[in-house]
Amino acid sequence: MTARNLQEVIDQAGNPVDLLRNSQIGSYIYPVVPADFQNWIKEQQAWRETSVLYDQSHHMDNLFISGSDAIKLISDTAINSTAVFPVNRAKQYVPTTASGHVVGDGILFHEEENRYVYVGRSPAANWLMFHGETGGYKNLDIEVDRRSPSRPYGHAVSRRYYRFQIQGPTAWSVIEKLNGGPLEQLKFFNMSTMTIDGTTVRTLRHGMAGAPGLEIWGPYEDHDRIRDAIVEAGAEFGLVPVGSRAYPSNTLESGWIPSPLPAIYTGEAERAYREWLPADGYEATGTLAGSFVSEDIEDYYLTPWELGYGSFVKFDHDFIGRDALEKVDPATQRRKVTLAWNGEDVTKIIGSLFDVDGPRYKYFDLPLANYGSANYDSVVDADGTVVGFSMFTGYSSNERRALSLATIDPDVPEGTELRVVWGEPNGGSSKATVERHEQFAARAVVSPVPYSTVARVEYHGGWRTGYTNTTV
């Protein structure tokens, strides 16, 4: 019988781990935006040295939430406090399940009185939609504008909004040239307006590249005209449009873990949600990748503290998961770090492509090496004990290093050399994104997050050299 919803998909698969580890959905593709405008190294360097234009118009859901009950829905589902959330302010939105584990996250824009827009990945959007439909709210309207398809096959693509970011050391010079004069640098995540090509556009003060910048949005029909105006004005200041190949790697320097596994595959409290989710949606077709393998899907669930969201947890309101989170001692929780990979070990991994007589290691793609929707590589200590997960991996040409964002045990100090087990056990799963390979234990040093000194300031051991293979 054809499954009608996520719960039936799980029931038929028998185990959600097997379902997700062997998904055939293929590689994650950022839609519509070209892979490169120059090359990914020059584009990475531009956000550190001059400025860049990120086109964020297509790869995220937009969820429009309006009505007098909109703020109640947000408050009921967010670990964040909404006690102070005025118009023209944005806030990161983090929901948890009844067990206190993270569903996903995104950004909420308070655009006008009783009107909010959620922008981000599908898991948190779906959570808001479900609870909005089933929570008994009387004055609430929700409209979803789904991300553009990864493979549109020539069909026209349109969105409600275009969404751009201008970031980098020269970004403010570009912004003021576009505006035709000085523009106030508001506080982080405050919203305002500016003028581009004679059009008033909405703005959000941001700083993804470690310097003052803006996120800009407006009606999608203005996309090409506004984009061309930004590129033309930015040429004088070295502005470079960033393609979809380099774009996601910026988080390696800034420190946000984009795609933990939504913690919704178990739990009686979430059964109705699983029965509401479609059989072909993100949660049913996404891929679970990496060297960490457990038969219990709950071993992949993460608390807010493990993802760096501990400071968001506020018990000044009732929300889903509050009872569970109140019982958590933050000092016992893993913490988010950057892992700086050993260059010699990364060279061995990539060099195995050309070693006809040696082992073949899992392909390390550049600049982003992830091969699943949710990535969990085991991080092990000198005894082979798993002390955390490496969750987002790639290469920064600005740092000349392979980096990964990870969550590790709280008693592992900064500067410790650990190992990331790269590649899946037993030759790899049957995912479409996995070729047959052997595992490799790459040395990596526990480092700050954000890793970039610039971003960190602006954003307020000894292993055997010859150690390579592991079956940990």
Side-chain angles (χ1 to χ4, degrees):
M1 184 179 74
T2 302
R4 296 168 297 179
N5 55 54
L6 174 61
Q7 183 62 57
E8 291 185 359
V9 170
I10 293 171
D11 292 342
Q12 291 180 13
N15 186 328
V17 174
D18 294 336
L19 169 72
L20 300 173
R21 285 192 62 81
N22 295 291
S23 170
Q24 296 301 302
I25 196 172
S27 300
Y28 180 86
I29 298 174
Y30 279 77
V32 181
V33 178
D36 302 289
F37 287 93
Q38 297 191 7
N39 71 41
W40 62 264
I41 292 176
K42 292 168 71 175
E43 291 171 12
Q44 282 189 342
Q45 291 171 345
W47 68 59
R48 181 74 65 84
E49 297 172 359
T50 54
S51 55
V52 294
L53 172 64
Y54 297 130
D55 188 343
Q56 301 176 315
S57 305
H58 294 283
H59 72 279
M60 295 181 286
D61 286 352
N62 293 323
L63 194 68
F64 301 91
I65 311 168
S66 59
S68 58
D69 279 342
I71 191 61
K72 187 175 188 324
L73 168 65
I74 294 165
S75 181
D76 289 348
T77 58
I79 66 174
N80 319 57
S81 173
T82 58
V84 179
F85 194 7
V87 173
N88 283 330
R89 188 80 59 80
K91 183 183 291 286
Q92 193 163 359
Y93 169 76
V94 182
T96 55
T97 62
S99 64
H101 294 103
V102 173
V103 175
D105 79 309
I107 304 298
L108 278 168
F109 296 76
H110 194 174
E111 289 197 334
E112 56 188 74
E113 192 68 32
N114 295 329
R115 176 179 167 83
Y116 303 81
V117 182
Y118 164 86
V119 181
R121 290 176 179 254
S122 295
N126 292 339
W127 189 257
L128 279 164
M129 289 175 64
F130 169 75
H131 288 286
E133 291 179 13
T134 63
Y137 302 99
K138 295 181 180 179
N139 191 344
L140 181 69
D141 182 69
I142 297 180
E143 180 185 354
V144 65
D145 175 24
R146 292 293 190 188
R147 74 188 294 275
S148 300
S150 292
R151 300 171 177 86
Y153 299 116
H155 296 291
V157 174
S158 183
R159 302 298 306 275
R160 283 278 296 275
Y161 288 161
Y162 67 80
R163 192 171 297 277
F164 298 126
Q165 280 198 22
I166 306 173
Q167 302 288 352
T170 66
W172 211 259
S173 297
V174 178
I175 289 164
E176 293 194 329
K177 181 178 179 181
L178 285 164
N179 190 57
L183 194 68
E184 181 184 2
Q185 292 189 16
L186 300 174
K187 292 182 179 180
F188 187 76
F189 263 34
N190 278 252
M191 295 157 54
S192 186
T193 61
M194 66 175 290
T195 301
I196 299 180
D197 195 34
T199 302
T200 300
V201 303
R202 300 293 295 268
T203 65
L204 172 73
R205 171 72 162 78
H206 213 310
M208 287 176 65
L214 288 180
E215 187 164 315
I216 296 164
W217 68 97
Y220 188 76
E221 54 265 30
D222 292 340
H223 175 282
D224 291 355
R225 178 171 61 85
I226 299 299
R227 180 194 177 278
D228 290 348
I230 295 170
V231 172
E232 181 180 353
E236 174 187 353
F237 304 101
L239 179 138
V240 172
V242 172
S244 59
R245 189 176 182 188
Y247 168 73
S249 68
N250 75 74
T251 193
L252 295 167
E253 299 176 25
S254 61
W256 170 59
I257 298 177
S259 54
L261 184 75
I264 52 85
Y265 296 91
T266 54
E268 192 58 32
E270 287 71 48
R271 173 172 285 272
Y273 181 55
R274 294 190 295 274
E275 293 173 343
W276 177 87
L277 285 168
D280 60 352
Y282 178 97
E283 295 84 353
T285 61
T287 54
L288 186 58
S291 58
F292 178 79
V293 180
S294 171
E295 289 300 306
D296 186 351
I297 193 71
E298 294 185 4
D299 287 340
Y300 297 87
Y301 294 175
L302 298 165
T303 68
W305 290 275
E306 292 176 299
L307 290 167
Y309 300 143
S311 63
F312 294 179
V313 180
K314 303 297 181 187
F315 298 120
D316 64 350
H317 65 297
D318 290 326
F319 60 91
I320 298 169
R322 172 176 173 163
D323 290 346
L325 292 177
E326 283 185 311
K327 299 173 184 176
V328 174
D329 178 1
T332 67
Q333 299 296 289
R334 286 175 171 167
R335 73 184 196 284
K336 182 171 68 171
V337 300
T338 305
L339 296 176
W341 290 38
N342 179 278
E344 291 181 356
D345 288 353
V346 177
T347 299
K348 289 178 183 176
I349 293 170
I350 296 174
S352 72
L353 289 170
F354 308 99
D355 184 356
V356 296
D357 298 318
R360 179 189 293 271
Y361 301 124
K362 179 71 190 76
Y363 178 53
F364 192 103
D365 201 4
L366 298 174
L368 202 64
N370 302 328
Y371 54 97
S373 308
N375 302 273
Y376 288 72
D377 287 313
S378 295
V379 180
V380 299
D381 63 15
D383 297 324
T385 301
V386 175
V387 296
F389 304 134
S390 174
M391 302 189 65
F392 202 82
T393 303
Y395 174 79
S396 166
S397 63
N398 294 315
E399 302 293 343
R400 298 291 293 271
R401 280 191 178 277
L403 302 171
S404 62
L405 301 174
T407 185
I408 64 168
D409 289 353
D411 58 350
V412 179
E414 194 172 298
T416 302
E417 189 172 71
L418 301 170
R419 289 171 290 170
V420 179
V421 183
W422 179 247
E424 298 184 332
N426 304 315
S429 61
S430 64
K431 278 189 294 297
T433 55
V434 174
E435 73 284 3
R436 303 304 290 173
H437 62 272
E438 296 182 24
Q439 289 183 308
F440 184 99
R443 293 166 290 174
V445 174
V446 178
S447 304
V449 59
Y451 186 78
S452 163
T453 302
V454 175
R456 196 157 64 245
V457 171
E458 294 291 336
Y459 286 165
H460 300 95
W463 295 97
R464 287 183 291 140
T465 303
Y467 194 97
T468 53
N469 295 318
T470 182
T471 56
V472 173

